[in-house]
Amino acid sequence: MSHVDERTRALQAPSSAVIVASTSNPVDDLRRERAKASFNARELEALLHGGADMVHLRRRIADVMTSQDVFSKRGKYFLERDELYKSTLAKYLALPKAVTSMKEKDPIQVARIMREFIDEPGGLDLHLGMFIPTIQGQGDEEQRKYWIPKCVKLECIGTYAQTELGHGTYLRGLETTATYDESSEEFIIHSPTLTSTKWWPGGLGKTSTHAVVMARLFTKGKDHGVHPFIVQIRENKNHEPLPGCTIGDIGNKMGYNAVDNGFLRFDHVRVPRRAMLMGHSKVEADGTYIPAPVAKVSYGTMVFIRSDIVMNAALFMKKAVTIAIRYNLVRRQSNVHPNSGKECQVIDYQHSQRTLFPILAKAFAFHCTSDFMRRMYFEFQKKSRKDQDFSALPELHATSSGLKAYCSWETKDAIEACRLTCGGHGYMALAGFGTTFASYAPNVTYEGDNNVLCLQTARYLLKAYRKMSSGGESLPSALSYLHGSDSQSQLGQGASLRDENAIVDAYAHRAWRLVTDAARNAGNMSPDDTMREHMVSWIKAAKAHCAFVIMNTFVQEYSDVHQYVKAETIAVLHRLVILHGLCGMDDTMGEFLEDGYIDANQAAGIREEIFRLLAEIRPDAAALVDSFGLHDYFLNSALGAKDGDVYRRLYEQVQAAPFNQSHQPPGYAELLKPKLSKGTFGVSKL
Amino acid sequence: MSHVDERTRALQAPSSAVIVASTSNPVDDLRRERAKASFNARELEALLHGGADMVHLRRRIADVMTSQDVFSKRGKYFLERDELYKSTLAKYLALPKAVTSMKEKDPIQVARIMREFIDEPGGLDLHLGMFIPTIQGQGDEEQRKYWIPKCVKLECIGTYAQTELGHGTYLRGLETTATYDESSEEFIIHSPTLTSTKWWPGGLGKTSTHAVVMARLFTKGKDHGVHPFIVQIRENKNHEPLPGCTIGDIGNKMGYNAVDNGFLRFDHVRVPRRAMLMGHSKVEADGTYIPAPVAKVSYGTMVFIRSDIVMNAALFMKKAVTIAIRYNLVRRQSNVHPNSGKECQVIDYQHSQRTLFPILAKAFAFHCTSDFMRRMYFEFQKKSRKDQDFSALPELHATSSGLKAYCSWETKDAIEACRLTCGGHGYMALAGFGTTFASYAPNVTYEGDNNVLCLQTARYLLKAYRKMSSGGESLPSALSYLHGSDSQSQLGQGASLRDENAIVDAYAHRAWRLVTDAARNAGNMSPDDTMREHMVSWIKAAKAHCAFVIMNTFVQEYSDVHQYVKAETIAVLHRLVILHGLCGMDDTMGEFLEDGYIDANQAAGIREEIFRLLAEIRPDAAALVDSFGLHDYFLNSALGAKDGDVYRRLYEQVQAAPFNQSHQPPGYAELLKPKLSKGTFGVSKL
């Protein structure tokens, strides 16, 4: 029975009426926003996904996953670590059956999309992503035949134990040793120092029974450098560590807590000679070391993983900006507008647009970069496999290194920038930004520290510059800008501020200037020396090169799609291309002003043009993020769901928080009750 | 008994010897770094703390806290949320006794330092920081006398319920109503919409029995705007919600999870007339509304809280850079150096220095800003209380708003930048960056969204500009730059690149240009209109003003300390002043180049000078962070502890991770064992 009488209700009613009059319904707001669009979001969605079939497949996959409890993300943001670990593992284990149930002709593709939708790395990630591929790539045939079937049946779960407490980036410094004992034909795997403790491998802490251990190989007293060894570390029957193995979890991290990153120490652990993966180098029974016939054959895997990070960058940029734009479209916060009688939508603040729309444009740009990277990788793979043609490797390596760094930096920062446009609610776990940021952050560090990767691109740029200067071979097309540039931009002068080619020229000019300056500074120094002495300049030059590649690719892909989509879609894409180009310049304008390539009038003109573009893009904002086609299941955000029903969702979802199981907080009886229960209120008129 | 025989040990020994030869001891490394310093860190520490006595007091406080189990932070990074909540609450409840035990003459200061050292906001934060101060500031005498003693004895615990699901920044839009019922002399507190649900108040979710509820007051059918009401929300005897109150926790956030931020809905809840805090406005028994005699009297509290955020920014900047610099000093990662036989310290990478040393310098700059802000606030407080002189309020308000925004943005970004210099290990919870970032992040949003605050500063700048242009009153000294500036910087021309006054001139010039440009653009627009139309330009202008205030203050405080410290300390501080100034220019060089104030040669000269400064600061890096005097208990970082014993600490501390209680992971029996136990290994030679 209600505690409220009719008289009270009647007294309250007029006040409520005043309040309700100025409120608005976010669901209606978002519906109205969609109706404003100047183009067809479904057409663009199909274009981005490579066809309507793929859009359809992704929807079907989402339907299958949302219909099964094991894949549910309900309450996920409130899970303590053991539950998060367990439920993520359960999702991965449920994948094979779910994939099979789809009856698609390309089950690997379905599995990939399902893992994308789960959007949470788990204890099996390194088994699938590193352990199996390493055996395939570095084992010999007998080893592959022995191990792969066991891996597939999960009779063993492996990890890749490379990084140590003391060494990550500099691999030659790894301290774990594998010393060959000829008499027993075994290796002794040992951790001679504290810093040699294996540290970080995913799935090592709790999940794995086996590991590929990267260790310094010693035979006949000689150090042959780092090689891979398969070592069993836990019992199959009960998961207890094997004698000589000290294993554990390295505890919570900023994110990634469904993964049991672990540590591992060896105390003189003996493994058979054939535990060494012998697809390339070998140790014979008598201890003779036979080096690999071709060095760096496994380069390809590294390049592939970096390319994969570039592709992922686009996805996470899209995710963050979808959530932020949808919420900014329904969030109202301002003086009541005299015309509408409502408060303003937050997206109508110039600052929100200046933050979010360039990120939106960048998501499209990175989408194209991702396509470009994928094509480049697969072309190389084809050539290298068929014709043993590795000539594209240096460019592929330099490009994937730099773009991995550039795209992961930009994406990490964009996720945080998107969150900040969502005010306080962006900070709630249910918004999704916190875990997206924390899970994305390692992309900047792993698979090559970003600064180190920029220097690898820089080495390539230096080499190309030196070859060109000495009149050597012709430059790859991506580097043709090194031949020189106009001294003054045509933007807003001979060319319109919306001339995409003039913008590409500007990016080329900056890259040319920064590479040329750094290379001239280097004089005759060795690459090692100038990379150390002029590190900051080289990183800047490498970034400028990457920004050029991305802009150039964006313009090329934009030009290529004219035949596939309607004119109004082309017009929208053109605005995004220009916005991306001009904002990238505005944000680092000093680099264009310094040598007079852009003058003060042009700089001011670019700023003005940006504001015009923001206003033009504004009505299409809702439809543009719709075109990314990110399913609510993937987004898992109370702020970013497709229907815009933000407040109802927040209110409903917080009810599941574990703190709401009881009205009394943890520690109530001992900490709070003794004091609070002395309080008496209610009798006083106060 | 060991599983290792003597023969195996003998075989391993030579390999171990090779490895050990190139390792180094981080503790020795850090000791050697300290010995290099060109100045006395203790002298600088005393200067920063306002005397050796304060340094001594802080050490004693740390000693007291580390000697009591209740204050222990051991295993804190691995706590699940309920344990974190409970242990934090226990720390706060243990404070009074710990403060008393110190027998200091200023117990409030001791308590403040202890809360700083605990470094974790908890369920009582809003009771102490908002509930009590609001009653003191907004209650009348009878209300204060009734409530404050109960608050002090914790017979009630209160929170401050202002923000709602639908409204944060725009307070006049709050939707909770308080409708006066003359017949019963009560208010009906009600939540008429979903969006009127109170959302976010700290301590509301589980801890509080009472709340100051900010609600729209309706008397006699008229809306009088937002006023404060004290409402009991939970029973004292058993903590159950009172009838008509729906209360809960809003679940996990990115950080701040020791705080139970909550939600609260009212269903026609009746409270007595005197539940309204009546220190300013009143409602009489017959429903007559009597407005406050002076509007905005409570402005001071808001200014104080913003000033406090400025002060805290310096502290968290110091924390992050202390951890990062110490770890960068002991982490070695590179080819073995031919001379030393060791790998390089990571800090010797130019990029690390270019990232960390400007943050180090900025921590000193913010320290001075914090001093300046504190003095400005206390002078205003004295004048306003003694002489009812509120004339300094506009400047104080504009300065505290802008500096709150500027310093919190910079600090948040600096914490993340510091983490990124620490590679993978920076991502571990034990490093401390994750929680520091996540707990610091709300500073950017709460107590005024940073962009909104910048616009408040911008309004002040616009007003000053317009007054000056119309030949009005003289400008406050901080704004004298608005009178104009040279058109060309003297830096590296008439003045040395290390001339701090020429650098201040450059900051003044930029602020002058950006304010002047924005004001000219505004023409005759109303402040509201230009702030909306030119929002991005005004935010930029406000930031430039803040950067000038910070640089100017840094130089002034630097000049003032000459009499207190030795020449070598002055020399070190001078390098930091110049580094801060030049890096701030280099990072936004476009803003100086655009109007030709700085030319290309000067820009290049500044870059070169920065590298020279980095090299000069390098030997003092360890001593400079020591001078901040941050105790290991406060830092709580395995990477940043004073002794440099990083790897031992990491290895020891991860053993306490809850995942390491068992060798089998969560879900082992049902998920993994059925598959894994089928595996058989060990018989094969593989």
Side-chain angles (χ1 to χ4, degrees):
Chain A
M1 205 191 71
S2 170
H3 67 290
V4 187
D5 57 43
E6 283 311 307
R7 223 193 116 257
T8 302
R9 284 189 199 281
L11 275 164
Q12 171 63 32
S15 310
S16 294
V18 171
I19 298 298
V20 169
S22 66
T23 58
S24 48
N25 182 340
V27 174
D28 293 340
D29 278 344
L30 202 48
R31 201 177 293 135
R32 205 164 28 239
E33 287 293 338
R34 289 199 170 97
K36 281 186 197 169
S38 71
F39 72 104
N40 183 338
R42 281 170 183 271
E43 185 192 49
L44 185 54
E45 184 181 3
L47 178 74
L48 290 174
H49 288 87
D53 286 356
M54 182 53 77
V55 172
H56 184 65
L57 174 63
R58 294 173 71 90
R59 293 236 172 97
R60 279 185 54 223
I61 292 176
D63 289 344
V64 165
M65 294 180 82
T66 49
S67 71
Q68 296 185 25
D69 280 351
V70 67
F71 292 117
S72 170
K73 293 184 183 176
R74 197 157 178 81
K76 186 181 155 193
Y77 291 125
F78 305 138
L79 293 181
E80 304 293 14
R81 192 172 171 219
D82 54 352
E83 285 298 320
L84 179 65
Y85 169 87
K86 191 173 148 181
S87 63
T88 307
L89 192 60
K91 286 184 175 71
Y92 274 75
L93 293 171
L95 279 181
K97 202 173 146 194
V99 170
T100 311
S101 78
M102 300 274 311
K103 299 194 176 87
E104 282 292 318
K105 59 180 182 297
D106 187 351
I108 289 177
Q109 186 184 51
V110 173
R112 194 187 51 70
I113 296 171
M114 286 187 172
R115 279 177 72 181
E116 177 188 313
F117 286 1
I118 291 176
D119 190 24
E120 182 76 55
L124 288 175
D125 261 55
L126 259 72
H127 178 68
L128 302 171
M130 288 297 292
F131 187 68
I132 295 176
T134 303
I135 295 171
Q136 278 168 333
Q138 314 231 21
D140 60 28
E141 192 171 345
E142 188 193 16
Q143 290 173 321
R144 285 196 298 269
K145 279 200 174 150
Y146 179 80
W147 287 105
I148 301 298
K150 292 175 188 283
C151 288
V152 171
K153 286 184 277 182
L154 290 186
E155 290 178 6
C156 63
I157 296 174
T159 181
Y160 183 79
Q162 178 170 292
T163 306
E164 295 173 355
L165 197 43
H167 285 89
T169 302
Y170 178 61
L171 296 182
R172 275 175 293 167
L174 292 177
E175 298 172 5
T176 303
T177 59
T179 307
Y180 189 63
D181 177 359
E182 297 154 38
S183 66
S184 65
E185 297 186 19
E186 288 173 322
F187 291 102
I188 302 162
I189 309 287
H190 188 62
S191 309
T193 55
L194 173 62
T195 43
S196 70
T197 307
K198 291 293 175 187
W199 201 267
W200 277 113
L204 169 61
K206 296 283 109 180
T207 317
S208 299
T209 55
H210 289 68
V212 167
V213 175
M214 300 302 287
R216 292 257 283 273
L217 168 64
F218 287 81
T219 63
K220 300 175 187 284
K222 200 173 165 235
D223 179 355
H224 299 286
V226 174
H227 288 74
F229 300 82
I230 295 193
V231 184
Q232 178 159 11
I233 56 175
R234 284 191 176 93
E235 293 273 11
N236 269 77
K237 63 176 191 291
N238 60 11
H239 224 65
E240 295 286 320
L242 285 170
C245 295
T246 305
I247 323 175
D249 183 89
I250 63 165
N252 290 23
K253 297 133 290 181
M254 273 174 62
Y256 241 74
N257 285 315
V259 178
D260 51 319
N261 298 87
F263 67 86
L264 171 59
R265 287 185 59 76
F266 298 103
D267 178 12
H268 300 84
V269 171
R270 284 179 172 271
V271 294
R273 180 176 66 92
R274 295 282 289 151
M276 178 174 160
L277 288 175
M278 294 192 178
H280 305 309
S281 317
K282 294 182 180 43
V283 170
E284 297 192 331
D286 69 351
T288 305
Y289 174 72
I290 301 176
V294 185
K296 303 210 173 177
V297 273
S298 62
Y299 232 22
T301 316
M302 195 169 72
V303 170
F304 175 71
I305 291 173
R306 287 179 190 162
S307 306
D308 204 48
I309 291 175
V310 174
M311 298 174 211
N312 252 313
L315 179 66
F316 284 93
M317 183 90 73
K318 289 174 191 172
K319 180 184 183 188
V321 83
T322 297
I323 298 171
I325 285 185
R326 286 187 179 155
Y327 179 63
N328 270 258
L329 284 166
V330 302
R331 178 73 166 177
R332 289 174 179 270
Q333 198 85 180
S334 76
N335 297 338
V336 169
H337 197 276
N339 298 340
S340 67
K342 309 279 184 196
E343 301 177 23
C344 281
Q345 290 159 278
V346 175
I347 200 143
D348 286 322
Y349 286 109
Q350 195 183 52
H351 179 267
S352 292
Q353 293 182 16
R354 182 62 180 80
T355 305
L356 290 174
F357 294 171
I359 293 173
L360 179 66
K362 201 174 281 176
F364 279 91
F366 282 17
H367 180 96
C368 299
T369 311
S370 157
D371 278 354
F372 162 79
M373 200 66 247
R374 197 190 319 248
R375 276 199 310 275
M376 194 173 181
Y377 177 73
F378 287 115
E379 273 164 34
F380 162 74
Q381 211 186 26
K382 215 168 64 183
K383 277 194 197 167
S384 64
R385 284 197 184 161
K386 274 200 182 156
D387 316 320
Q388 296 292 308
D389 174 1
F390 291 88
S391 61
L393 190 59
E395 188 181 355
L396 178 62
H397 176 246
T399 309
S400 64
S401 299
L403 288 178
K404 181 273 186 184
Y406 191 94
C407 294
S408 62
W409 266 325
E410 293 278 317
T411 301
K412 182 178 81 64
D413 290 347
I415 295 166
E416 174 69 354
C418 285
R419 178 181 77 79
L420 288 176
T421 67
C422 295
H425 292 353
Y427 189 69
M428 292 187 69
L430 291 170
F433 291 113
T435 47
T436 303
F437 180 82
S439 298
Y440 192 79
N443 281 277
V444 167
T445 314
Y446 59 34
E447 302 303 334
D449 174 87
N450 274 3
N451 288 303
V452 174
L453 291 182
C454 283
L455 294 176
Q456 294 187 3
T457 304
R459 278 167 196 270
Y460 172 74
L461 296 170
L462 173 63
K463 200 170 169 185
Y465 177 87
R466 285 182 170 173
K467 267 192 190 153
M468 184 201 67
S469 307
S470 62
E473 316 140 52
S474 65
L475 294 167
S477 70
L479 292 184
S480 60
Y481 67 74
L482 286 178
H483 287 300
S485 161
D486 295 338
S487 61
Q488 166 81 37
S489 169
Q490 292 301 307
L491 277 171
Q493 319 268 14
S496 148
L497 284 165
R498 299 209 183 183
D499 180 331
E500 61 272 17
N501 294 311
I503 297 176
V504 171
D505 285 347
Y507 279 75
H509 173 87
R510 172 178 57 177
W512 166 77
R513 184 176 68 82
L514 291 173
V515 172
T516 307
D517 281 2
R520 284 188 189 142
N521 247 335
N524 293 320
M525 279 184 177
S526 73
D528 277 357
D529 286 347
T530 180
M531 293 300 147
R532 193 178 55 245
E533 289 292 313
H534 310 113
M535 186 178 285
V536 170
S537 310
W538 278 116
I539 291 171
K540 205 192 237 185
K543 283 186 186 174
H545 171 73
C546 292
F548 161 74
V549 171
I550 291 165
M551 185 68 212
N552 193 38
T553 305
F554 197 10
V555 170
Q556 281 181 4
E557 298 232 344
Y558 160 72
S559 311
D560 291 348
V561 299
H562 277 68
Q563 46 186 317
Y564 303 112
V565 287
K566 297 210 182 95
E568 55 265 28
T569 305
I570 296 291
V572 173
L573 290 175
H574 188 250
R575 286 182 204 117
L576 294 171
V577 167
I578 303 300
L579 186 74
H580 177 72
L582 296 185
C583 288
M585 293 180 72
D586 189 37
D587 294 343
T588 54
M589 193 55 91
E591 296 176 7
F592 297 92
L593 288 163
E594 186 164 332
D595 65 343
Y597 179 76
I598 291 280
D599 66 24
N601 283 331
Q602 288 171 305
I606 287 172
R607 278 197 298 273
E608 290 306 311
E609 196 64 30
I610 287 171
F611 291 125
R612 276 190 287 273
L613 281 161
L614 297 178
E616 291 173 29
I617 291 169
R618 166 69 184 82
D620 288 326
L624 280 166
V625 297
D626 282 353
S627 77
F628 294 146
L630 302 181
H631 195 280
D632 280 354
Y633 174 71
F634 169 72
L635 289 174
N636 196 25
S637 166
L639 302 190
K642 192 162 186 183
D643 63 8
D645 205 359
V646 168
Y647 301 116
R648 184 190 56 74
R649 222 175 235 106
L650 279 174
Y651 192 78
E652 278 181 18
Q653 293 187 0
V654 298
Q655 309 303 325
F659 259 36
N660 291 327
Q661 303 298 303
S662 152
H663 287 302
Q664 294 76 29
Y668 171 69
E670 62 271 38
L671 295 175
L672 294 179
K673 195 179 180 188
K675 288 173 196 291
L676 285 174
S677 58
K678 289 187 190 142
T680 47
F681 300 90
V683 286
S684 158
K685 275 289 173 200
L686 294 166
Chain B
M1 206 190 73
S2 168
H3 68 287
V4 188
D5 57 40
E6 281 313 306
R7 223 193 115 257
T8 302
R9 285 189 199 283
L11 275 164
Q12 171 63 34
S15 310
S16 295
V18 170
I19 298 296
V20 169
S22 66
T23 60
S24 49
N25 182 340
V27 174
D28 293 342
D29 278 344
L30 203 48
R31 200 177 292 133
R32 205 162 32 236
E33 287 293 336
R34 290 199 170 97
K36 279 186 197 170
S38 71
F39 72 104
N40 183 337
R42 283 170 181 270
E43 185 193 49
L44 185 54
E45 183 181 3
L47 178 73
L48 290 173
H49 288 88
D53 286 357
M54 183 53 76
V55 172
H56 184 63
L57 173 63
R58 294 173 70 89
R59 294 237 170 96
R60 278 185 54 224
I61 292 175
D63 288 344
V64 165
M65 295 180 81
T66 49
S67 72
Q68 296 184 25
D69 280 351
V70 67
F71 293 116
S72 170
K73 295 184 182 175
R74 199 158 177 82
K76 187 181 154 194
Y77 291 123
F78 305 137
L79 292 182
E80 304 294 14
R81 193 172 170 218
D82 55 351
E83 285 299 320
L84 180 65
Y85 169 87
K86 191 172 150 181
S87 63
T88 307
L89 192 61
K91 286 183 174 71
Y92 273 74
L93 293 170
L95 279 181
K97 200 172 149 194
V99 171
T100 311
S101 79
M102 299 277 309
K103 300 194 176 83
E104 281 292 317
K105 59 180 181 299
D106 187 350
I108 290 178
Q109 185 183 55
V110 173
R112 194 187 52 69
I113 296 171
M114 284 185 173
R115 280 178 70 182
E116 176 188 315
F117 286 2
I118 290 175
D119 190 24
E120 183 75 55
L124 289 175
D125 260 54
L126 258 71
H127 178 69
L128 302 171
M130 287 298 290
F131 187 70
I132 295 176
T134 303
I135 294 171
Q136 279 168 332
Q138 316 233 19
D140 60 28
E141 192 172 345
E142 189 192 15
Q143 291 173 319
R144 286 197 297 270
K145 276 200 177 153
Y146 178 81
W147 287 105
I148 301 298
K150 291 175 189 285
C151 289
V152 171
K153 285 184 277 180
L154 290 187
E155 291 179 5
C156 64
I157 297 174
T159 180
Y160 183 79
Q162 177 171 292
T163 306
E164 296 173 355
L165 198 42
H167 284 89
T169 302
Y170 177 61
L171 295 183
R172 276 174 293 168
L174 291 177
E175 298 172 6
T176 304
T177 60
T179 307
Y180 189 60
D181 177 0
E182 297 155 36
S183 65
S184 65
E185 297 186 19
E186 288 172 324
F187 292 101
I188 302 162
I189 308 286
H190 188 62
S191 310
T193 55
L194 173 62
T195 43
S196 70
T197 308
K198 292 292 175 187
W199 202 267
W200 277 114
L204 169 61
K206 296 283 110 182
T207 318
S208 298
T209 55
H210 289 68
V212 167
V213 175
M214 300 303 287
R216 292 256 283 271
L217 169 64
F218 287 81
T219 63
K220 301 174 187 284
K222 197 170 168 240
D223 179 355
H224 298 286
V226 174
H227 288 74
F229 300 81
I230 295 194
V231 184
Q232 180 159 9
I233 56 174
R234 284 192 176 92
E235 294 272 13
N236 269 79
K237 62 177 192 291
N238 61 11
H239 225 66
E240 295 287 319
L242 285 170
C245 295
T246 306
I247 323 174
D249 184 88
I250 63 165
N252 290 23
K253 297 133 291 180
M254 272 175 63
Y256 241 75
N257 285 315
V259 178
D260 50 320
N261 297 86
F263 67 85
L264 171 59
R265 287 185 59 77
F266 297 104
D267 178 11
H268 300 84
V269 170
R270 287 180 170 271
V271 295
R273 180 177 64 92
R274 295 281 290 149
M276 176 174 161
L277 289 176
M278 294 193 177
H280 307 309
S281 318
K282 291 182 184 39
V283 170
E284 297 192 333
D286 68 353
T288 305
Y289 174 71
I290 303 176
V294 186
K296 305 211 171 177
V297 274
S298 63
Y299 232 24
T301 316
M302 196 171 71
V303 170
F304 175 71
I305 292 173
R306 288 178 189 164
S307 306
D308 205 49
I309 291 176
V310 174
M311 297 175 211
N312 252 312
L315 179 65
F316 285 93
M317 184 88 77
K318 289 174 191 170
K319 181 185 181 186
V321 81
T322 298
I323 297 171
I325 286 185
R326 284 185 181 156
Y327 179 62
N328 270 259
L329 284 165
V330 303
R331 177 74 167 178
R332 290 174 178 269
Q333 197 86 179
S334 77
N335 297 338
V336 170
H337 197 275
N339 297 341
S340 67
K342 310 279 184 194
E343 299 177 25
C344 279
Q345 289 157 279
V346 175
I347 201 148
D348 286 322
Y349 286 109
Q350 195 184 49
H351 179 267
S352 292
Q353 293 182 16
R354 182 62 181 80
T355 305
L356 291 173
F357 294 171
I359 294 175
L360 179 66
K362 200 175 283 177
F364 279 91
F366 281 18
H367 180 96
C368 298
T369 311
S370 157
D371 277 356
F372 161 79
M373 200 65 246
R374 197 191 320 250
R375 274 198 312 275
M376 194 174 181
Y377 177 74
F378 286 115
E379 272 164 33
F380 161 75
Q381 208 186 28
K382 216 168 65 185
K383 278 193 194 166
S384 64
R385 285 198 182 161
K386 272 198 182 159
D387 316 322
Q388 297 292 310
D389 175 359
F390 291 88
S391 60
L393 191 58
E395 187 180 356
L396 178 61
H397 176 245
T399 309
S400 65
S401 299
L403 288 179
K404 181 272 186 185
Y406 191 93
C407 293
S408 62
W409 266 327
E410 293 277 318
T411 301
K412 182 178 80 64
D413 291 347
I415 295 167
E416 174 68 356
C418 285
R419 178 182 76 80
L420 288 175
T421 66
C422 294
H425 292 354
Y427 189 69
M428 293 187 70
L430 290 170
F433 291 112
T435 48
T436 303
F437 180 81
S439 300
Y440 191 79
N443 282 276
V444 168
T445 314
Y446 61 33
E447 302 303 335
D449 173 88
N450 275 3
N451 289 302
V452 175
L453 291 181
C454 283
L455 293 177
Q456 296 188 3
T457 304
R459 278 166 195 271
Y460 173 75
L461 296 171
L462 173 63
K463 199 169 171 184
Y465 177 87
R466 285 182 170 175
K467 268 192 188 151
M468 185 201 67
S469 305
S470 62
E473 314 142 52
S474 64
L475 295 167
S477 68
L479 292 183
S480 58
Y481 67 74
L482 286 178
H483 287 301
S485 161
D486 294 338
S487 61
Q488 166 79 36
S489 169
Q490 293 300 307
L491 278 170
Q493 318 270 14
S496 148
L497 284 165
R498 300 212 182 181
D499 181 331
E500 61 272 18
N501 294 312
I503 297 175
V504 171
D505 285 347
Y507 279 74
H509 174 87
R510 171 177 58 175
W512 166 78
R513 184 177 69 82
L514 292 173
V515 172
T516 306
D517 280 2
R520 285 188 188 143
N521 248 336
N524 292 321
M525 278 184 178
S526 73
D528 276 357
D529 287 346
T530 180
M531 292 301 147
R532 193 179 55 244
E533 289 292 313
H534 310 113
M535 188 179 282
V536 170
S537 309
W538 279 117
I539 291 172
K540 206 192 236 187
K543 282 186 186 173
H545 171 73
C546 292
F548 161 74
V549 170
I550 291 165
M551 186 67 212
N552 193 38
T553 306
F554 197 11
V555 169
Q556 280 179 6
E557 296 232 345
Y558 159 73
S559 310
D560 291 348
V561 299
H562 278 68
Q563 47 187 315
Y564 302 111
V565 287
K566 296 211 183 94
E568 55 266 28
T569 305
I570 295 292
V572 173
L573 289 175
H574 188 252
R575 284 181 206 119
L576 294 170
V577 167
I578 303 300
L579 186 73
H580 176 72
L582 296 184
C583 288
M585 294 180 71
D586 188 37
D587 293 343
T588 54
M589 191 56 90
E591 298 176 5
F592 297 92
L593 289 163
E594 186 165 332
D595 66 343
Y597 181 76
I598 291 281
D599 66 23
N601 282 331
Q602 287 171 305
I606 286 171
R607 279 197 297 273
E608 290 305 312
E609 196 65 29
I610 287 171
F611 291 125
R612 277 189 287 274
L613 280 161
L614 297 178
E616 290 173 31
I617 290 168
R618 168 68 184 84
D620 287 326
L624 280 166
V625 297
D626 283 352
S627 78
F628 294 145
L630 301 181
H631 196 280
D632 279 353
Y633 173 72
F634 169 73
L635 288 175
N636 196 24
S637 167
L639 302 190
K642 193 162 186 181
D643 62 9
D645 206 358
V646 168
Y647 301 115
R648 183 189 57 74
R649 223 177 234 105
L650 280 174
Y651 192 78
E652 278 181 18
Q653 293 186 1
V654 298
Q655 308 303 325
F659 259 36
N660 291 328
Q661 302 299 302
S662 152
H663 287 302
Q664 294 75 27
Y668 171 70
E670 62 271 38
L671 296 174
L672 295 179
K673 195 178 181 190
K675 290 173 194 289
L676 286 173
S677 58
K678 290 187 190 140
T680 47
F681 299 92
V683 285
S684 158
K685 275 290 176 198
L686 295 166

